[in-house]
Amino acid sequence: MKGKIWITMACLIGLDGTLLAQSAYPGQSQEKFQVSLAVPVAAECVNLQDVRLLPSRFRENLERDSAWMVSIGVDQLLHSFRTTAGVFAGREGGYMTVKKLGGWESLDCELRGHITGHLLSAYSLMYAATGSEIFKLKGDSLVTGLMEVQRTYANGYLSAFPEELINRNIRGESVWAPWYTLHKLFSGLIDQYIYADNSQALEVVKRMGDWAYAKLKPLDEATRQRMIRNEFGGINESFYNLYALTGDERDRWLAGFFYHNEVIDPLKEGWDDLGTKHTNTFIPKVLAEARNYELSGAQDSRALSEFFWHTMVAHHTFAPGCSSDKEHYFDTKQFSRHLSGYTGETCCTYNMLKLSKHLFCWTASPEVADYYERALYNHILGQQDPKTGMVAYFLPLLSGAHKVYSTPNNSFWCCVGSGFESHAKYAESIYFHHREKLFVNLFIPSVLNWREKGITLRQETGFPEEETTRLYVGAEQPVRAEICLRYPSWSGKVRVTVNGKKVKVPHRPSSYIVLDREWRQGDRIEVTYPMSFSLETTPDDAGRAALCYGPVVMAGELGTEGMQNPAPYSDPSKYNDYYTYDYHIPEGLPVDLEVEGTHWEKNLRRTGKGLTFETKEGVKIAPLYDVHRQRYVVYWNLKKKK
């Protein structure tokens, strides 16, 4: 064995120097950006097109996601844009030629057009993740159609709703989040340029930026503060990204225009009382500050971003990695009272994973990587119905509830949109790199092409159903590099071999195991992460707890008694039924868990080879991400054995 093998708590790396440029995260598509990164980083993202998923639950979700997004017609996605602009012509409202989208994409919904933005992103991400031309063609067609609509406006405006909705927002009148919807379009067009090399998309979004500057520059401070009280999503993050692409100071000014003093200033002061604010309105504003730090070096933006992340994870996060109850923060001193049927809005987790990715680039923190794994496996992976590919708005934690899925043509909630993206980009955070270092953060079957070093890495594993992952090195020439293997906080004493020879590993969870050597074609790394059961109790009630196995949240399967049609699906004929859903939970469901110290073999019996168990009372227990189309319990009532 050449070189040395050593351990460090955070895979210590030099923090000097900067990158030439960046995309939404440090390290991606550097050649496309005009503005250099203003801060040092500890890790850089790999380009999504350099990682391919191998068969696993993750790739199965990706394939179902791809089938759904391909089934949606480009004409359907453009119809509201064309109708609003007056360029659509069709008999009887076009019903003979275009099948209308329903739910939040209905022609009378003020949020219409947001799914088109999400799908612009999702098509580009899926193209990068798979290389399949169908996603390139779908994205190109959408962008071309949007450009044609934009040409009907003389000022660069583009949306599926009329500009009067923006005017209502400026006047402080009631309107449903027009800048939130525009944020999705800005982001989608930017992603089309970054991930799918669509230069036409960049031209469209630049003209949208010109319109926004002309619209907002004349406004006074009182008007600005009034209008940003309305939800605007991450539009300021998009303007920072556009600034990074163009170098145009007007785009940076637009990002600053949406700085929300009432939300961000308290974070700068270390104020951690988030009240009952709307959670997913809050998180994107912090994401914008994270981008501001990366592009300007503003240390207060970094400090508040890190403070917010730690506040969220330590105090506002449920066991599966999700947050919010009915989309809002709540008094954490009453945590157990908020285990409702409306916990865990998926968009919140989507945005927390985005923020986590920024923080990991800054710090290479194993704590951040631990959270990312927890939320990805237990919430995002489990959002999708394996039978149909539909997705859930919430992750209910009320005992006896079940996941409520969208419908193919009549939902199109925000969490449908973020779901399109999430299931396309699983490969984006498995690996990171920095100079001579490669971080292996997630144990997901995949192949990495580390172009900078001329190395390929093939990861084969059945994790978390098995404790071992195997990494196979490909290298045309011997290459010196440090492969940093995450040592999770949940793991027992790790066992590592390189080419069959055991490597000594001190017992130090929440660190990185660094294998520093000259790597050759055919080298093989095998790592075993022992897993065990643990309980995660609610902060206010030690008698309520989630059961975990390693990083996996386990759920008790409670069957389908009392589930009424159209369960487990949303009912499009009812107004926002995902938000008022009646679960018809029967009485007497077995939601008690008997515990006897840490002797789990006395409490649970393993059934089969995977992560399936059974309580003494006969309740089947499986990973939450695999429990679908039936009731379940995550937070059990603990019963101590006498």
Side-chain angles (χ1 to χ4, degrees):
M1 182 181 297
K2 296 181 175 62
K4 59 182 179 179
I5 297 175
W6 46 284
I7 308 294
T8 173
M9 285 302 292
C11 196
L12 297 175
I13 48 186
L15 296 178
D16 55 319
T18 60
L19 301 177
L20 294 177
Q22 66 172 59
S23 68
Y25 305 101
Q28 289 180 314
S29 305
Q30 300 182 36
E31 73 285 353
K32 289 189 170 77
F33 286 81
Q34 303 300 313
V35 179
S36 297
L37 190 68
V39 297
V41 294
E44 302 158 47
C45 301
V46 300
N47 287 325
L48 186 56
Q49 59 264 34
D50 289 335
V51 185
R52 291 289 182 263
L53 295 181
L54 297 174
S56 68
R57 278 283 279 104
F58 288 96
R59 199 170 84 173
E60 290 169 6
N61 270 25
L62 178 145
E63 290 170 351
R64 284 186 287 264
D65 185 37
S66 67
W68 185 13
M69 67 171 67
V70 165
S71 73
I72 302 172
V74 170
D75 284 345
Q76 292 178 280
L77 294 167
L78 291 173
H79 185 68
S80 55
F81 290 83
R82 289 168 169 165
T83 300
T84 297
V87 299
F88 178 79
R91 290 177 291 179
E92 298 180 30
Y95 286 95
M96 299 172 66
T97 56
V98 180
K99 183 179 180 181
K100 307 298 187 295
L101 301 179
W104 289 14
E105 283 299 316
S106 300
L107 281 169
D108 58 356
C109 178
E110 292 178 342
L111 221 62
R112 62 188 181 273
H114 77 113
I115 283 294
T116 299
H118 277 296
L119 281 171
L120 283 167
S121 292
Y123 288 140
S124 66
L125 291 166
M126 195 68 80
Y127 174 61
T130 67
S132 176
E133 284 296 319
I134 184 62
F135 302 111
K136 173 67 173 166
L137 293 171
K138 296 278 281 192
D140 287 353
S141 297
L142 260 184
V143 172
T144 298
L146 291 172
M147 173 173 274
E148 291 170 351
V149 169
Q150 189 182 48
R151 286 173 180 161
T152 68
Y153 301 103
N155 58 1
Y157 178 73
L158 175 64
S159 180
F161 53 74
E163 193 171 351
E164 178 59 18
L165 268 64
I166 300 295
N167 296 335
R168 281 162 53 186
N169 173 230
I170 292 173
R171 294 193 298 266
E173 297 172 2
S174 177
V175 62
W176 191 8
W179 287 101
Y180 168 94
T181 303
L182 288 184
H183 163 230
K184 306 309 174 188
L185 284 175
F186 271 91
S187 294
L189 290 163
I190 289 170
D191 285 344
Q192 277 291 317
Y193 176 62
I194 293 172
Y195 292 100
D197 299 316
N198 190 318
S199 58
Q200 191 179 61
L202 180 61
E203 293 307 309
V204 173
V205 76
K206 285 167 64 176
R207 286 196 287 272
M208 291 178 71
D210 293 342
W211 162 80
Y213 184 81
K215 189 80 173 177
L216 300 178
K217 182 62 175 175
L219 303 182
D220 60 25
E221 177 62 13
T223 302
R224 185 192 77 85
Q225 292 201 24
R226 182 176 63 241
M227 64 176 285
I228 65 173
R229 292 172 187 162
N230 188 296
E231 182 178 6
F232 55 79
I235 188 67
N236 42 352
E237 179 198 10
S238 288
F239 284 132
Y240 278 125
N241 290 336
L242 187 59
Y243 163 68
L245 287 170
T246 65
D248 190 332
E249 286 293 332
R250 296 178 303 167
D251 296 327
R252 183 156 68 169
W253 180 91
L254 284 165
F257 179 91
F258 284 92
Y259 177 88
H260 198 169
N261 312 67
E262 294 178 9
V263 169
I264 300 301
D265 287 349
L267 293 177
K268 287 183 177 180
E269 300 299 321
W271 186 253
D272 62 0
D273 184 358
L274 304 179
T276 58
K277 294 182 176 68
H278 186 263
T279 309
N280 198 50
T281 300
F282 207 110
I283 304 171
K285 296 171 185 178
V286 180
L287 278 167
E289 291 304 303
R291 290 295 288 128
N292 181 42
Y293 162 69
E294 292 170 356
L295 295 172
S296 71
Q299 291 298 319
D300 57 349
S301 290
R302 170 173 175 163
L304 73 87
S305 298
E306 293 180 320
F307 173 76
F308 174 77
W309 186 92
H310 285 284
T311 299
M312 283 291 294
V313 172
H315 303 294
H316 295 273
T317 300
F318 298 103
C322 57
S323 58
S324 79
D325 180 19
K326 277 208 168 181
E327 303 188 7
H328 289 74
Y329 292 111
F330 54 84
D331 182 0
T332 56
K333 294 184 179 64
Q334 300 182 8
F335 199 92
S336 62
R337 298 184 185 180
H338 291 273
L339 300 174
S340 78
Y342 317 100
T343 47
E345 183 188 359
T346 309
C347 283
C348 296
T349 304
Y350 161 87
N351 278 317
M352 279 299 295
L353 290 179
K354 289 181 65 176
L355 182 59
S356 298
K357 193 171 179 182
H358 285 291
L359 265 62
F360 186 82
C361 288
W362 306 344
T363 64
S365 163
E367 179 187 4
V368 173
D370 279 350
Y371 167 77
Y372 197 103
E373 176 185 62
R374 173 73 73 98
L376 185 72
Y377 272 88
N378 298 299
H379 191 181
I380 301 300
L381 183 62
Q383 182 208 19
Q384 186 192 91
D385 174 24
K387 183 175 181 179
T388 63
M390 298 298 102
V391 295
Y393 195 116
F394 294 120
L395 179 58
L397 294 176
L398 175 67
S399 295
H402 57 82
K403 298 171 185 176
V404 179
Y405 307 112
S406 59
T407 56
N409 300 301
N410 292 294
S411 299
F412 294 116
W413 314 312
C414 54
C415 297
V416 170
S418 60
F420 280 132
E421 297 180 43
S422 292
H423 304 300
K425 61 178 183 176
Y426 286 125
E428 72 171 2
S429 295
I430 302 173
Y431 309 99
F432 291 79
H433 68 98
H434 188 65
R435 298 178 184 155
E436 307 302 312
K437 302 179 185 293
L438 178 70
F439 299 87
V440 180
N441 267 13
L442 298 173
F443 315 122
I444 296 175
S446 53
V447 178
L448 165 70
N449 183 0
W450 190 13
R451 297 179 188 274
E452 293 82 354
K453 301 297 290 185
I455 288 177
T456 61
L457 196 69
R458 182 182 181 92
Q459 182 172 187
E460 297 182 357
T461 181
F463 181 87
E465 281 73 22
E466 68 167 317
E467 299 177 335
T468 299
T469 189
R470 302 163 189 85
L471 302 162
Y472 300 91
V473 177
E476 293 184 5
Q477 302 292 333
V479 179
R480 184 83 183 211
E482 299 170 15
I483 295 181
C484 308
L485 308 171
R486 184 169 67 94
Y487 192 160
S489 60
W490 48 259
S491 178
K493 187 172 180 59
V494 173
R495 298 186 295 276
V496 180
T497 64
V498 176
N499 296 332
K501 297 182 179 179
K502 187 176 180 180
V503 175
K504 185 177 180 181
V505 179
H507 187 76
R508 298 177 65 185
S510 195
S511 66
Y512 279 92
I513 303 164
V514 181
L515 307 180
D516 181 4
R517 56 174 282 138
E518 186 177 82
W519 299 98
R520 298 175 178 271
Q521 176 71 30
D523 282 344
R524 184 181 74 259
I525 304 166
E526 187 169 295
V527 193
T528 299
Y529 296 100
M531 291 187 283
S532 60
F533 280 109
S534 64
L535 289 173
E536 187 169 311
T537 59
T538 57
D540 62 322
D541 184 356
R544 298 289 299 279
L547 178 66
C548 302
Y549 189 75
V552 179
V553 175
M554 308 296 287
E557 299 181 352
L558 301 180
T560 60
E561 181 186 352
M563 289 177 60
Q564 301 177 12
N565 188 57
Y569 300 102
S570 168
D571 185 349
S573 68
K574 295 180 179 179
Y575 177 68
N576 288 352
D577 77 319
Y578 60 89
Y579 206 73
T580 58
Y581 199 90
D582 186 348
Y583 292 94
H584 299 286
I585 299 174
E587 296 182 0
L589 291 177
V591 296
D592 296 341
L593 183 65
E594 186 177 284
V595 294
E596 184 180 348
T598 58
H599 301 291
W600 291 103
E601 70 280 0
K602 297 182 180 180
N603 305 318
L604 302 172
R605 180 178 65 86
R606 185 184 288 270
T607 59
K609 296 181 179 180
L611 295 185
T612 56
F613 301 84
E614 192 173 88
T615 69
K616 291 179 178 179
E617 292 72 30
V619 178
K620 295 181 180 179
I621 295 178
L624 178 59
Y625 62 74
D626 267 341
V627 178
H628 291 276
R629 309 172 71 80
Q630 66 171 303
R631 304 183 187 280
Y632 56 79
V633 52
V634 170
Y635 279 90
W636 302 77
N637 299 322
L638 299 183
K639 302 295 181 183
K640 300 287 186 180
K641 185 174 181 181
K642 297 180 181 180

